[in-house]
Amino acid sequence: MIEQWRLRAAFAARLSRMYGREVPAYTTLVDVSREVNEDVLRARGADAERLGSIGRVTAERHGAIRVGTPEELEQVGRVFGALGMRPVGFYDLRDTPASALPIVSTAFRPVDEEELARNPFRVFTSMLTVSDPRFFDADLRSRLATFLAGRELFPPELLALADRAEAERELPGTDAERFLDLAVRAFELSPEPIDREWYAALERVSAVAADIGGVRSTHINHLTPRVLDIDELYRRMTERGVEMIDTIQGPPRWPGPDVLLRQTSFRALAEPRALRTADGSVTLGALRVRFGEVEARGIALTREGRALYDRLLGLIDERAGHRPAGERGDVARAVWSEHLPPTEHELAVRGLGFFTYHAAPERPADGSRPPSDLAGLLAGGWLRAEPIVYEDFLPRSAAGIFQSNLGEAGSRNSGQECSSYDADRLAEAIGREVLDPFTLYERQRDRSLARIPRALRPQGAS
């Protein structure tokens, strides 16, 4: 019997091999990521593994897919449910500052600490907001709904196996093999010809809309390795002649602790695709829809820490204006140094970062009583704090990555009223609860506090 986490690990590995065959530059990205990680490990030793073992970091991947309807999203939830992955977080990319994309998203991922340690594979999954009149007028909405209703992304056999794997939390070897084969195939790039005029009509709204609603299948848009030094990776990829997007999205590089998520990618490549013209003939064209993303993960921030992060982004925008990327980076580092704690200790004491807490048995007995405050317990060596890695995403960064790989900005009629989407509406579409990331991190922190002796628990901890 093949357990869910082994199914998840096997699916991630097979998806990576498939994507490497389809997008050779991805293999270069993985190779350079591995080289950088090995160099960082040699240079920094154990400190390099503070946010995950090198084995986990090297194997870690996140993918991205896009679907068109709530029904398709519900089926995605069943496929990933078979792998022990649950929807976490709600991301509305329709009103992000850098770009407006007609999609809302969630991320399917493991949620338990043990499952994350075994294999943290996650998939950022976006759904087209067909009902949003700012992007789609009545005629286009009707045509799009008809087109999407007439396609099948996942065969019934795959969904039946997925339901069984989720219910039983495992599959027999033969069924597991069949499930993996069907699941990987469902995310391959289809050779079926694309209706050129229909694709172009959607592309005038957004290249993302065309990629979702202009084809009769879905596919992996990017598969993302994790790297320990994303700035060094960016430099090495550029040296190899791979065209990268202009910036690294997310927090700036600075001397203090890494927080949240930094992302960059190589630009979407022109890939040959069969296009069907109005007279029914098929010609060979090219589309740019898939790219190679890479990420560096930092410490998860608390609700207060995340509010501070969002304020700092606004302050950077205010001070940097329309300066070039290099100058904007200087502004960002100055703002970071001015407002963000420069050490993990201060992040913990000020309640800005998530940590697990552990009694320090190596502390020599000196007859003193432990203090009741977290700062004193940490400073006195009674407790040690281990950072909790950020497992989720940032809507502004995701939109920035998407927009950096689009040829055109697309269009949006801001005079129209926005259709409402939130986590509850997305959960209704998926047919399962969309979990709140902050709640998951809080539970992880609180479980660690519950395991330490009561005398060492900081004031306010249950």
Side-chain angles (χ1 to χ4, degrees):
M1 302 299 290
I2 310 300
E3 300 167 273
Q4 280 185 319
W5 78 267
R6 295 189 185 277
L7 281 174
R8 184 170 67 251
F11 177 72
R14 294 186 188 201
L15 206 63
S16 186
R17 289 195 294 271
M18 178 270 285
Y19 196 67
R21 290 192 300 270
E22 293 188 343
V23 184
Y26 165 75
T27 302
T28 302
L29 183 66
V30 170
D31 290 342
V32 175
S33 297
R34 186 182 299 111
E35 291 171 9
V36 171
N37 289 342
E38 291 171 353
D39 290 346
V40 171
L41 184 63
R42 279 192 292 268
R44 293 170 49 190
D47 184 58
E49 299 183 276
R50 189 151 176 76
L51 286 168
S53 70
I54 192 65
R56 171 187 160 157
V57 170
T58 300
E60 192 164 340
R61 296 288 185 276
H62 99 244
I65 64 168
R66 302 162 179 169
V67 297
T69 66
E71 292 76 19
E72 291 176 352
L73 187 61
E74 185 268 344
Q75 292 177 357
V76 167
R78 292 161 66 185
V79 172
F80 292 142
L83 305 175
M85 298 160 66
R86 301 176 66 185
V88 179
F90 171 74
Y91 307 92
D92 193 337
L93 304 191
R94 296 174 299 160
D95 293 299
T96 49
S99 59
L101 303 169
I103 50 176
V104 292
S105 310
T106 189
F108 289 89
R109 68 169 178 87
V111 297
D112 296 330
E113 296 169 59
E114 183 178 334
E115 289 297 301
L116 286 164
R118 283 172 164 171
N119 183 274
F121 182 60
R122 54 183 80 81
V123 180
F124 191 82
T125 304
S126 301
M127 182 183 73
L128 197 61
T129 54
V130 179
S131 63
D132 195 327
R134 298 177 304 164
F135 298 97
F136 307 103
D137 62 29
D139 177 63
L140 192 54
R141 281 201 304 275
S142 176
R143 294 169 61 198
L144 184 53
T146 299
F147 180 89
L148 293 172
R151 71 181 186 181
E152 180 184 88
L153 299 186
F154 306 102
E157 183 185 1
L158 170 61
L159 295 174
L161 286 169
D163 292 342
R164 181 180 171 192
E166 183 170 17
E168 300 177 7
R169 303 179 65 84
E170 60 186 5
L171 281 177
T174 302
D175 290 335
E177 182 66 27
R178 180 62 176 164
F179 168 81
L180 291 168
D181 180 58
L182 290 171
V184 172
R185 247 192 278 170
F187 296 111
E188 290 178 345
L189 195 67
S190 172
E192 183 178 350
I194 296 167
D195 185 320
R196 187 167 64 183
E197 289 188 6
W198 173 236
Y199 194 94
L202 292 174
E203 200 169 27
R204 286 191 285 272
V205 173
S206 166
V208 170
D211 182 49
I212 299 172
V215 296
R216 302 198 63 83
S217 62
T218 188
H219 52 258
I220 284 287
N221 286 98
H222 61 257
L223 202 57
T224 304
R226 181 176 164 192
V227 72
L228 295 174
D229 187 339
I230 198 168
D231 299 271
E232 177 62 16
L233 177 131
Y234 190 100
R235 186 186 67 80
R236 293 189 191 185
M237 290 291 288
T238 303
E239 282 184 349
R240 293 192 181 201
V242 178
E243 185 184 5
M244 306 294 286
I245 64 172
D246 294 337
T247 61
I248 295 173
Q249 302 284 336
R253 183 186 186 99
W254 76 307
D258 294 326
V259 299
L260 297 175
L261 176 68
R262 302 182 72 208
Q263 299 169 278
T264 192
S265 80
F266 61 72
R267 292 198 181 278
L269 305 173
E271 298 178 87
R273 304 287 290 276
L275 304 176
R276 179 173 285 109
T277 61
D279 64 6
S281 62
V282 176
T283 63
L284 187 63
L287 297 176
R288 293 178 181 269
V289 296
R290 301 194 299 177
F291 50 91
E293 186 179 326
V294 65
E295 64 188 19
R297 293 189 170 269
I299 300 170
L301 295 184
T302 63
R303 298 176 197 270
E304 295 79 6
R306 181 56 186 276
L308 173 60
Y309 171 77
D310 291 339
R311 288 198 300 273
L312 297 187
L313 289 183
L315 188 56
I316 292 167
D317 289 341
E318 180 183 316
R319 292 186 182 179
H322 298 289
R323 296 185 187 184
E327 294 181 20
R328 183 181 177 84
D330 293 338
V331 171
R333 280 185 286 275
V335 168
W336 238 241
S337 298
E338 183 179 346
H339 295 279
L340 204 68
T343 65
E344 287 185 9
H345 174 85
E346 290 183 66
L347 273 179
V349 169
R350 289 177 55 183
L352 298 177
F354 279 114
F355 296 82
T356 56
Y357 296 95
H358 311 268
E362 68 276 7
R363 186 186 188 279
D366 57 8
S368 61
R369 294 175 59 85
S372 61
D373 62 299
L374 180 61
L377 289 165
L378 290 172
W382 299 91
L383 293 182
R384 56 182 175 83
E386 298 290 340
I388 297 176
V389 65
Y390 185 63
E391 304 285 357
D392 298 289
F393 298 92
L394 302 170
R396 176 164 167 161
S397 294
I401 291 282
F402 284 0
Q403 191 63 47
S404 295
N405 282 288
L406 302 179
E408 302 292 338
S411 62
R412 179 182 65 171
N413 182 358
S414 298
Q416 291 282 349
E417 185 176 347
C418 171
S419 58
S420 174
Y421 277 95
D422 57 19
D424 289 338
R425 184 172 175 184
L426 200 66
E428 184 179 348
I430 304 172
R432 54 191 75 206
E433 181 185 7
V434 175
L435 302 176
D436 174 49
F438 291 110
T439 301
L440 296 176
Y441 298 127
E442 288 164 353
R443 288 175 184 169
Q444 188 175 347
R445 175 198 61 198
D446 293 346
R447 281 195 294 267
S448 74
L449 288 169
R451 289 192 290 264
I452 64 177
R454 186 172 295 275
L456 295 180
R457 294 179 198 171
Q459 190 173 16
S462 59

